[in-house]
Amino acid sequence: MAPHLSIVPSMFVLLLLFISASKVQSDAFDVVAKFGAKADGKTDLSKPFLDAWKEACASVTPSTVVIPKGTYLLSKVNLEGPCKAPIEINVQGTIQAPADPSAFKDPNWVRFYSVENFKMFGGGIFDGQGSIAYEKNTCENREFRSKLPVNIRFDFVTNALIQDITSKDSKLFHINVFACKNITFEHLKIEAPDESPNTDGIHMGKSEGVNIIASDIKTGDDCISIGDGTKNMVIKEITCGPGHGISIGSLGKFQNEEPVEGIKISNCTITNTLNGARIKTWPGEHGGAVSEIHFEDITMNNVSSPILIDQQYCPWNKCKKNEESKVKLSNISFKNIRGTSALPEAIKFICSGSSPCQNVELADIDIKHNGAEPATSQCLNVKPITSGKLNPIPCSGPVPKTPSASA
């Protein structure tokens, strides 16, 4: 894994060099001054934004689309490449989505597609205005949920830096990353109420070289969720909570899922979440592989399940409970993880009976239960490799015959 991860910082340095060079000769395309946008909170920004993007994208020299301070209504926009030169978006204002979910017929609000050498920055806010959607988004209402938009989508984006941007109250996921390569998210703020359903902070799949650095994520679902096909990823200096923690998965739900490998999560603080460092796969269903996953130097504050491998992941009790997961887990470590657990079961390794977890390492763990009972550790179909101080004692507690459903 080390050779792969060492490449990521060097790519990031090259990206910063590219951005610094492009600023020297960047042409500015101001959506208000040049394209007639109005920061009145009611005039649709879609056409001025798209017109500015198209003109900037066609430029043979580096260019910057500027959205000045103010509040803008944006119905939706699809920003496509490839562009002829490096391109930036300087978002200074607040961009609001229509509050009514019926305004959307597909799960897109702001989408970047097939863009290379891209930067977005400026301290601006993408406000999904999701409160109405939260009330209607139930597990029974799948058709409604299928049309809810992600705040920002990055599809087939290469060599990008997203910096100093806020995503607020998305109706569904805040940021979705698909089939991207060498994309860094830094100094982001992501916020939604803790009861907001399916509002993952950053979700990704089939991407390589993704970095998420020094960001604050408060949401109603996973702070970060890592789907199939994700490789060589670095997550560090994240504050997470409320939410469901930092999760690998869920995996094994669909056919032909690609392996997840080479993920390092470090120097994070997770507070008042349902889960902390988690890997989740569905029982029964389909196969897959997860390897070289490393959680290190993490502080847990009142987390219900601080360390969790859950191969019986079964939200809403809708799964093949009597079957084993077919996803293979190997070479996984949890090192220097400290703090407090809201429930006694601080560590739970619930691995597959047909494909037991291999090479799972616990080192220097100190998690105390906030209640009167001592913290415990449960193990099923795994024999962890241990070292250093370990509290609770590994595999010291019994595993219930029917583990409770997790979110």
Side-chain angles (χ1 to χ4, degrees):
M1 177 180 174
H4 293 291
L5 288 177
S6 65
I7 295 172
V8 176
S10 62
M11 289 179 174
F12 184 45
V13 170
L14 288 172
L15 178 58
L16 291 178
L17 290 173
F18 146 73
I19 290 165
S20 300
S22 70
K23 280 186 175 181
V24 175
Q25 52 182 353
S26 178
D27 294 326
F29 297 84
D30 189 311
V31 297
V32 173
K34 188 171 182 179
F35 296 92
K38 296 181 179 180
D40 57 9
K42 57 184 180 181
T43 303
D44 193 355
L45 178 64
S46 295
K47 188 178 187 304
F49 195 178
L50 185 58
D51 288 348
W53 172 268
K54 287 181 176 178
E55 193 167 325
C57 189
S59 172
V60 295
T61 58
S63 56
T64 303
V65 174
V66 179
I67 301 176
K69 291 183 178 180
T71 300
Y72 304 83
L73 173 68
L74 175 68
S75 57
K76 68 178 297 183
V77 69
N78 189 36
L79 305 171
E80 296 187 8
C83 298
K84 293 184 177 180
I87 187 167
E88 302 177 342
I89 299 181
N90 181 351
V91 182
Q92 302 168 11
T94 296
I95 302 173
Q96 294 182 330
D100 187 351
S102 66
F104 295 90
K105 306 304 179 185
D106 59 54
N108 297 312
W109 180 38
V110 178
R111 181 180 184 237
F112 296 92
Y113 178 82
S114 189
V115 182
E116 187 173 359
N117 298 330
F118 170 64
K119 180 182 180 182
M120 183 162 65
F121 65 103
I125 300 170
F126 290 86
D127 183 356
Q129 300 204 97
S131 59
I132 297 174
Y134 303 154
E135 297 173 3
K136 297 181 179 180
N137 185 3
T138 63
C139 58
E140 294 82 13
N141 201 351
R142 293 184 180 181
E143 183 177 354
F144 173 80
R145 185 166 62 249
S146 69
K147 296 178 182 178
L148 291 177
V150 171
N151 259 13
I152 312 172
R153 283 186 180 272
F154 298 93
D155 296 336
F156 301 93
V157 173
T158 302
N159 297 335
L161 175 62
I162 314 302
Q163 186 178 58
D164 297 311
I165 292 293
T166 295
S167 176
K168 177 182 178 183
D169 293 342
S170 182
K171 294 177 176 67
L172 201 68
F173 296 176
H174 285 263
I175 295 172
N176 193 81
V177 180
F178 177 76
C180 293
K181 189 172 183 180
N182 302 334
I183 180 169
T184 293
F185 299 90
E186 184 178 31
H187 299 139
L188 299 191
K189 289 185 179 180
I190 296 175
E191 51 190 41
D194 59 2
E195 71 274 11
S196 56
N198 305 117
T199 53
D200 293 43
I202 303 176
H203 176 77
M204 70 218 61
K206 294 180 172 59
S207 296
E208 183 171 3
V210 178
N211 304 303
I212 306 175
I213 301 169
S215 295
D216 184 17
I217 304 175
K218 299 178 173 69
T219 189
D221 211 299
D222 292 327
C223 291
I224 299 171
S225 56
I226 300 165
D228 79 293
T230 304
K231 299 179 180 180
N232 303 328
M233 178 181 186
V234 171
I235 298 169
K236 65 180 181 179
E237 299 167 18
I238 304 298
T239 58
C240 165
H244 294 181
I246 298 175
S247 297
I248 310 295
S250 61
L251 298 168
K253 180 67 173 175
F254 304 103
Q255 289 184 342
N256 303 319
E257 291 185 352
E258 298 178 13
V260 175
E261 58 188 23
I263 314 295
K264 183 175 182 180
I265 301 102
S266 64
N267 298 103
C268 297
T269 300
I270 303 177
T271 303
N272 294 328
T273 57
L274 290 183
N275 308 289
R278 173 167 67 157
I279 300 172
K280 51 180 176 175
T281 74
W282 290 79
E285 303 299 346
H286 305 285
V290 177
S291 64
E292 299 297 342
I293 310 298
H294 303 289
F295 295 92
E296 298 181 8
D297 303 320
I298 297 176
T299 299
M300 305 284 184
N301 297 315
N302 197 46
V303 175
S304 295
S305 295
I307 298 175
L308 176 61
I309 294 176
D310 183 6
Q311 293 208 262
Q312 296 179 1
Y313 177 67
C314 187
W316 317 297
N317 289 312
K318 293 184 177 180
C319 64
K320 298 177 180 178
K321 290 185 179 181
N322 297 323
E323 297 185 21
E324 300 289 344
S325 175
K326 299 174 184 176
V327 179
K328 179 67 176 177
L329 307 185
S330 63
N331 301 328
I332 297 162
S333 67
F334 302 88
K335 296 182 178 180
N336 193 31
I337 299 179
R338 304 172 185 277
T340 57
S341 171
L343 298 175
E345 301 84 7
I347 301 174
K348 290 198 289 187
F349 291 156
I350 311 300
C351 293
S352 170
S354 61
S355 184
C357 300
Q358 293 186 343
N359 297 328
V360 175
E361 182 179 1
L362 281 171
D364 299 310
I365 307 296
D366 188 8
I367 301 175
K368 298 177 177 65
H369 177 217
N370 274 335
E373 304 172 54
T376 63
S377 169
Q378 301 175 350
C379 298
L380 180 65
N381 302 315
V382 62
K383 294 181 179 180
I385 302 165
T386 62
S387 63
K389 179 181 177 181
L390 296 170
N391 177 44
I393 298 171
C395 309
S396 55
V399 178
K401 291 184 179 179
T402 306
S404 58
S406 59

